[in-house]
Amino acid sequence: MELQTERSPLQHRHIIGMRVDATSYEDATERIIKWAQFRAAKRVCAANVHMAMETYDDPKFAEVVNYADLVTPDGMPLVWGLRALGIKDATRVCGPSLTLMVCEAAARHKLPIALYGGTPESLVDLTSFLLDRFPEIEIACQISPPFRELTPAEDTAYTEQIVASGARILFVGIGCPRQEIWMARHQDRIPAVMLGVGAAFNFYSGRVKHAPLWMQKIGLEWFFRLLMEPRRLWKRYLKQNPRFIFLFLQQLILSSRIDN
């Protein structure tokens, strides 16, 4: 039966060592729904420059991402990277937008979802937003874990709560790299499709404003987020973005030499 859940393999490239799949919103959503219908335990990562740099700096985290079942190109720099590496029709599949498409499809197919992340207050607002937008959606479980390392007892209790809820799709919003590591550690314990969607919780609970579409299209969403949250994000963007550009240009030059 598991074979029926599988679609044809996606094209992918490794960008500074991180696998990125050339998927689309429609393809990713269809894969996730198929997996969920068969109660398949799968992991979906929405990758951006921050995640790429985390994988570059931490080989163990690189394994976590590279062995996920789907790695979408969340940020435009990764889309440009896929195109530069030969996948000319690569398109962006960002976590927050994918969240809405999957929620719409989950409501239509009667697949219960669960939410793991955020604060108790933000989860109330996120739930309200989702129910208002998708009245038929079933939110079977909502958990706001503490912002610290969980005790084994807490972790077991939360895991059992998710499993008992019957959720087929689990949205995890506890930030990169924490959410990707959490999903990898729980994949063999939770029979659901897990999506690491980070900022989606903040966007749709109204905690953080989303960048205008024109800024997203030209790859300036990072700059908008920096303006919104300078204290939290300035080190990440001003340190990691230049490093990413240097490392990827280095990769391109090396690959062109090998091809020649």
Side-chain angles (χ1 to χ4, degrees):
M1 183 172 289
E2 175 66 17
L3 290 176
Q4 299 178 44
T5 72
E6 298 300 330
R7 289 166 58 83
S8 58
L10 287 166
Q11 289 191 82
H12 70 272
R13 296 290 187 271
H14 283 81
I15 297 178
I16 65 168
M18 180 182 72
R19 192 188 98 234
V20 184
D21 296 318
T23 183
S24 65
Y25 285 114
E26 294 76 14
D27 175 81
T29 300
E30 187 171 344
R31 288 174 188 272
I32 290 164
I33 294 301
K34 288 289 185 184
W35 289 334
Q37 288 173 328
F38 285 87
R39 296 183 181 272
K42 301 287 186 178
R43 290 186 291 123
V44 179
C45 299
N48 54 19
V49 168
H50 175 215
M51 189 181 293
M53 295 310 304
E54 291 284 347
T55 63
Y56 181 82
D57 291 332
D58 184 351
K60 289 185 178 179
F61 183 62
E63 284 191 20
V64 166
V65 176
N66 289 342
Y67 284 97
D69 297 283
L70 183 64
V71 183
T72 76
D74 181 293
M76 281 307 298
L78 297 186
V79 175
W80 296 331
L82 288 174
R83 292 173 183 172
L85 292 171
I87 304 179
K88 301 302 183 183
D89 59 349
T91 59
R92 187 183 186 205
V93 181
C94 78
S97 297
L98 181 61
T99 296
L100 296 185
M101 291 195 69
V102 171
C103 283
E104 188 278 330
R108 183 160 28 91
H109 289 278
K110 309 298 183 187
L111 295 168
I113 71 165
L115 306 171
Y116 183 87
T119 65
E121 296 78 16
S122 68
L123 273 188
V124 169
D125 293 334
L126 175 59
T127 299
S128 177
F129 170 86
L130 292 176
L131 289 173
D132 182 62
R133 185 144 183 172
F134 311 108
E136 301 300 316
I137 198 167
E138 180 185 348
I139 303 176
C141 180
Q142 306 161 56
I143 296 173
S144 173
F147 291 91
R148 56 167 171 76
E149 190 74 24
L150 299 180
T151 66
E154 288 173 329
D155 185 61
T156 298
Y158 288 146
T159 302
E160 290 176 349
Q161 185 179 343
I162 294 166
V163 173
S165 75
R168 304 287 189 90
I169 300 170
L170 172 62
F171 295 97
V172 183
I174 55 178
C176 173
R178 189 176 164 213
Q179 65 196 11
E180 288 75 27
I181 294 170
W182 187 92
M183 291 191 298
R185 288 176 176 171
H186 291 76
Q187 187 169 8
D188 63 347
R189 299 164 61 188
I190 298 176
V193 185
M194 296 182 281
L195 288 78
V197 293
F201 279 51
N202 287 332
F203 291 152
Y204 300 135
S205 67
R207 288 336 190 243
V208 175
K209 190 175 180 181
H210 208 173
L213 188 58
W214 69 268
M215 294 188 80
Q216 297 180 44
K217 287 183 176 179
I218 63 174
L220 283 179
E221 184 173 10
W222 69 271
F223 183 65
F224 182 87
R225 292 193 64 192
L226 178 60
L227 293 178
M228 294 295 102
E229 302 179 87
R231 286 189 177 183
R232 187 174 76 86
L233 297 176
W234 75 269
K235 284 186 179 180
R236 177 198 299 182
Y237 290 134
L238 296 185
K239 176 184 176 182
Q240 303 291 42
N241 286 16
R243 288 183 68 215
F244 173 81
I245 293 170
F246 172 79
L247 290 167
F248 184 64
L249 288 177
Q250 193 176 54
Q251 177 182 344
L252 278 182
I253 291 169
L254 182 60
S255 64
S256 66
R257 287 177 178 172
I258 292 174
D259 292 341
N260 292 333

